[in-house]
Amino acid sequence: EDMTGNVLYSLSFLGTALANAPDLDLSADVTDTLPETVKAKGDALLLSFAEHAALPAAAEVYVAAGTHFSDAGGIDVYQIDPVSGEAVRIAMDGSVTDGYIVFDIESTNDIILAAGGLAGAADEGGGFPIVPLVIGVCAVVVIVIVIAIFIRRKKAASGAGDD
């Protein structure tokens, strides 16, 4: 809670999903100061957990974001890998509803909410890799053409020797 008693964030677990719940410190700070390695393209909030650990089950997270973001959509959710420091998108195009944005997490790695995304972030499951696909298809076509030319020349050379 903040100083006025407003809930800043909460985690909810489905009781039947909790098999073995370890003792975890789920306290966190909500701030608009991002790590130096992360650059937001627009407004952003950081939910920085005291402890980085796997959760015993998926948790639904509510973060008070209504005073920071408008009710419009387009808010992406990223988790920061504690080893590499890389921000990976885990949810996209969220929106603020009744002052909160809601998403699911499976660990207490730090979370960034960003309107407009982050510069240089890895997009887990984000988008179809069209450029690598086109390059791969072009490479296969070139290889097939080279093989066809080689076979044709070899047949022409062996056919000329049969006369």
Side-chain angles (χ1 to χ4, degrees), residues 79-94:
Q79 258 190 328
I80 299 176
D81 183 299
V83 176
S84 71
E86 182 178 357
V88 178
R89 187 171 63 194
I90 61 171
M92 59 189 291
D93 293 331

Side-chain angles (χ1 to χ4, degrees), residues 51-107:
E51 181 180 348
H52 298 149
L55 293 171
E60 185 174 60
V61 181
Y62 290 79
V63 177
T67 58
H68 198 78
F69 300 107
S70 68
D71 285 345
I75 300 170
D76 293 341
V77 181
Y78 297 84
Q79 258 190 328
I80 299 176
D81 183 299
V83 176
S84 71
E86 182 178 357
V88 178
R89 187 171 63 194
I90 61 171
M92 59 189 291
D93 293 331
S95 60
V96 176
T97 305
D98 297 328
Y100 289 86
I101 186 164
V102 181
F103 52 91
D104 294 332
I105 61 171
E106 295 181 4
S107 70

Side-chain angles (χ1 to χ4, degrees), residues 15-39:
T16 57
L18 292 172
N20 187 10
D23 187 20
L24 294 174
D25 182 356
L26 298 177
S27 62
D29 291 322
V30 179
T31 179
D32 60 0
T33 303
L34 300 180
E36 290 182 22
T37 58
V38 177
K39 303 294 182 225

